[in-house]
Amino acid sequence: MYDGAMGTMIQNQGKWLDEAAYRGERFANWSCNVKGNNDLLSLTQPQVIRKIHMEYLQSGSRLIGTNTFSSTRIAQADYKMENLAYEMNYAGAKLAREVCDEMTSLHPDRPCFVVGALGPTNRTGSISPSVEDPSFRNVTFDELVESYYEQAIGLVHGGADILMVETIFDTLNAKAALFAIGELIEELEVDIPVFVSGTLVDLSGRTLSGQTTEAFYASIRHSKPMCVGLNCALGAQQMVPFVERLSKCAECFVHVYSNAGLPNAMGGYDDTPEDMAGYNRIFFEKGWLNMVGGCCGSTPPHIAAIAATVKEGGYKPRVLPPVRRPKMWLSGLEDLIVDDVHNHLGLPFLNVGERCNISGSIHFKKLMMNGNYGEAMDIAKKQVADGAHVIDINVDDGMLDGLAAMQKFVKIAVTEPEVGKVPFMLDASKFEIVVAGLKWCQGKCIVNSISLKVGEELFIEQAKLLKKHGAAVVVMAFDEQGQAATASEKIRICKRSYDILVNKVRFPPEDIIFDPNVLTIGTGMEEHANYGVDFIEATKVIKEECPFAKVSGGISNLSFGFRGVNVVRESIHSVFLYHAILEAGMDMGIVNSHEMIYYHDIEADMKLLCENLVFNKTSDATEKMLERTQWEKEAAIARKKGLTVGNNSTTNSITPKATSWRDQPVTERLSHALINGITQYIDDDVEEARKAATKPLDVIEGPLMSGMNIVGDLFGSGKMFLPQVIKSARVMKKAVAYLLPFMEEEKKQKLLAEGKDPTATNENDVSNFAGTMLIATVKGDVHDIGKNIVAVVLGCNNYKVYDIGVMVPCDTILDEAIRLNVDVIGLSGLITPSLDEMVYVAKEMKRRNMKQPLLIGGATTSKMHTAVKIAPNYSTIEHPVIHVLDASRSVTVVSSLLGQDKAEYAESILEEYDELREDYYDGLENRRFLTIQQAIKQRKVIDFKNSSLSTPAQLGTQVITLSIDDVIPFIDWNPFFQTWELRGRYPNRGYPKIFNDENVGQAAKNLHNDALNMLEQVKNNKSLELKGVVGIYPANTIGTEDVQIYTDETRTTPIATFHMLRQQAEVDGETSYLSLADFVAPKDLNIPDYLGMFAVACLGSSTLITKYEAEHDDYSKIMIEALADRLVEAFAEALHRDIRTRIWGYAQEEDLSSEDMLKIKYQGIRPAPGYPSQPDHTEKATMWNVMNVTENTGIKLTEHFSMDPPSSVSALDLDVKKVNILLLDKLVKIKLNITLKEKDLMFLKLKDG
């Protein structure tokens, strides 16, 4: 017998128990009211609590609950008594201990026990208190654990025999309490019985957080409670069906302590002791209980009546059920016994929905990247509706804060009944992310995954933590040596993992799920052909050697080579699963339930193709499936056009007509052979091309490479499949093999001509290769299939590839690259932590001053991540960092990096990545900014004392005029073509190569000719004038962001002050937060420094624009606008050169071509107001006043600080050789840190930017 309600008995004490009585002497002056804080009475009125305990013991109770229901730091915060939590629990347990010991001494044959009561707190981990934000919580799991741990240790120290987590309306709170108790038991090295008591809030039979009785039990059973039951909220009558359900599923003792009926209109309880005893009788008659007591409204007479009923009826306690076969028992809002599941196709298989996985759904990825959690929930709902038993949640992406995204998604998902009803599989490459998600799940989840690749010690540590949380776990078939590919390796690693988990960790074997790695078949590579067979054979043995464990896998990996044609992919999956499930015992898999095909519904010929492919029955299985894939794709196109298509590839009428490709020129024949994987004529065609070429290498770098570029484009657009890419690579390999003897002979003759011995061998001689590359999977990552395919494709294209394996530490990669003197380094990775390692490698390459281009590839990598996170740490024109989308692109990228046009290619990559970074940072909603004080603290401090500063040749202001002929050599034509929206594709991006582009080349030529003609016109009629003003002034920095300029070298009379801004936005790769003021010597150093500035314009364009508008000649109007812009920019370029070499003269020895000047290879910078490094347009007003710009040139400023005419340019000029920083104008968003008062512009609103 348990006791009854403590609160009811306290309320029955009478009016004397008022605020003063609650306070007692100790808390007489407490700062807030404390009446209602019943747990405080253990300290202020202990005699009251002692008396209540004794009355319950005298009424028949043998177990007494402590007066500590709200004695957590969290709950006591309402009374500002957080710091009394331990003391309250200790005192509450000590009081109960004393009373129990007293009663036991009187009746030694009826020992009494203290039950330490841990209530639910007044907060909930599973439910948002905010209607607007379902992801908001007012308490975290860790805060609950900390609070419960303090409570539990106080109870144990005070003498509690048992710990009871009670009145559970939110199972997540209970799991936190049980976690805390587990930690306490482990620390104290004692075995304390644990009771768990849930609360069903209404007749739906669910907790407040939505769980059913069975789901509640499944969620907490990992804690191995001695007794589980229900209490509060309902009377005994209403609890009957739920107690029955709990009694049927619980493997331990069961209890009930109901209310004395439902509350009446006044909040009281009407069941008399006799009523309550009668309503409880059914529990005893059915044999459902082992312990009974009372909750709200019950008193010692109620307990006495129940005890009498039990005694008079001679009722026996519930018999513990027999030990059952271990089964995996998961839960969301509802429970799920995995071993009993059959999916929607009737197979004994658990469908894990893949669509809430960033790598499994492009749509889901876009939603998550945009923070659209509402629509992401719709994807989850649809998966459940389509037959998913478990939802896989994976937010692994280098551009996403996985920790935050996982937590937010889970917190919202658990509040969505249609989603939260199923268990979750928390899937991440980083262990801390799955643990973070686990802490927001009230149900029993699956964690995906852990493996031995981290080493046995960490593997055990991770498994122990998951066991404490009660999670099931996916164990990948990886170990310290890498990924298991063969059946024997899969079995070995899984058996080793099983033995460690079961024997060392004591992990429940039924909660272990092995993923023996579903690897891609049908790639065209022989070593991949048996992967399906290996998995099925391994599954059968694993099920035999690892009792009760499950086997799972990511099914979409199997058919990756045929992506884009779902009927083929799903047919392969269906055949594979049918045999893996029914013949080998595979239990579950990550699938798209909606698209799964019933095995017996697959067309006979398709089924045969799949069987041959999956089981590697025929040598041409991949080839035949590739043919069927091509047909299916063409058939799909035909159906969209309304054409009739036969049932299979043998009866269709849409097969492409035979082409006469053999009649084409040899270059086109070679491309055709590469694209279609035809080797039949390759030797003859290569020989013909060789004879027409200057040297054999020209054939490789010419028509053969052009063909491979087309292959890359087709694969990237989904028009080719992986097996075809491999076939194309093999055609290339055969072509290169044919040319090698000729290349050897060429090399021999060259050596003879040089007087060298051609027979002397050098094992390091790689001169016959197109280039060399080192490739590795980075540390911590065991995936190598994609890397291997890249190595094959590059090898077939005559590149020497050094593949140094998986899980390769950074130092090993770089040391080997240096030793082998490779041309290019490639990093591969599949899991998100690999992205961090790639960033580290890039930083180390910069630190070591390495010069090799760095290629980034793998499933988890992306162009955006490479641009934002990796490239800023290493990338330059000399050694760019480039993301390679897939194996087919690797040849194009490497050949471009090692070709004559490397600089142009690298420049196009850097330009593209700059735009990606700008787009990324512009789109960030939650951009983090340092305070101005933090940014100043991290600013770059320049050693001006050891810098060589140039004294200007000419100080002051001077007016400049130039002719159009003077500036034509400085025109950058690229923006001109962009104005007209003409862009060439690499390698024909930019002027003048745009003229060679097959799409826009001719239009660009015509446009350029028109521009030159108009330039001649304006030169002849002198309708445009180039005029400007330049000034160089003594200057020094005052403070940290202000630069003063002075009348003369005495630096005593300031002319004006420029208010520079400082970079405050966090940027990947940045180590300091810059301001233009950092590059001018501080005045307190007494070092003379200078600041230059200019303003230039192309005058007369407005008159011409008005003329063309009147003539309705829009083409000429736009042309003159574009030309005026180009001319004034060229004027600025020419003037800047004069400043550097003559007027200031800090780069007098400069001798740069116009092309190099446009690439900013000069010393010095000219940041313009309004641009990222100087975004404040109001600085123009200071420039205009200092140089009398309007009077000297006619250039005016509008009220919003725009320049008139529009074809005007103004800028500051700084000599930055002294700091060796040339990219200040690349700074991204800068936050204003000045005030309008400093500007004396009270009328102007400046946008914080």
Side-chain angles (χ1 to χ4, degrees), residues 206-227:
R206 292 179 181 262
T207 61
L208 184 65
S209 56
Q211 280 196 313
T212 64
T213 305
E214 292 83 357
F216 158 69
Y217 176 69
S219 301
I220 57 90
R221 67 188 283 265
H222 67 277
S223 65
K224 297 186 177 179
M226 175 181 283
C227 188

Side-chain angles (χ1 to χ4, degrees), residues 2-7 38-39 42 49 53 63-73 75-76 85-97 100 113-121 147-168 173-174 177-178 181 184 192-197 231 255 257 291 294-295:
Y2 192 43
D3 65 5
M6 173 63 71
N38 291 345
D39 298 15
S42 297
I49 306 304
H53 285 327
L63 295 95
I64 293 296
T66 57
N67 180 38
T68 54
F69 185 82
S70 297
S71 293
T72 55
R73 182 173 289 268
Q76 285 302 314
Y86 174 86
E87 185 181 354
M88 285 182 178
N89 285 287
Y90 180 85
K94 189 170 183 290
L95 279 172
R97 174 82 276 151
C100 283
F113 301 94
V114 176
V115 179
L118 294 87
T121 80
S147 186
Y148 278 125
Y149 184 92
E150 182 181 32
Q151 181 175 31
I153 199 168
L155 290 168
V156 172
H157 286 169
D161 300 298
I162 298 162
L163 294 176
M164 171 132 77
V165 183
E166 67 164 326
T167 320
I168 298 162
N173 286 37
L178 294 168
I181 291 170
L184 178 63
I192 302 171
V194 176
F195 291 7
V196 181
S197 192
N231 76 288
H255 70 255
Y257 50 109
M291 184 183 88
C295 201

Side-chain angles (χ1 to χ4, degrees), residues 33 64 299 357 396 434 488 495 612 740 777 801 875 936 1127 1201 1232-1233 1238:
N33 290 336
I64 293 296
T299 62
N357 184 321
D396 272 357
V434 293
S488 59
K495 184 62 168 68
N612 289 341
L740 275 175
T777 301
V801 180
S875 191
I936 290 171
L1127 288 171
F1201 298 96
L1232 294 178
N1233 57 279
E1238 289 174 306

Side-chain angles (χ1 to χ4, degrees), residues 1052-1065:
T1052 56
T1053 307
I1055 302 174
T1057 301
F1058 286 89
H1059 301 282
M1060 308 304 187
L1061 305 178
R1062 184 167 299 283
Q1063 183 184 18
Q1064 290 173 247

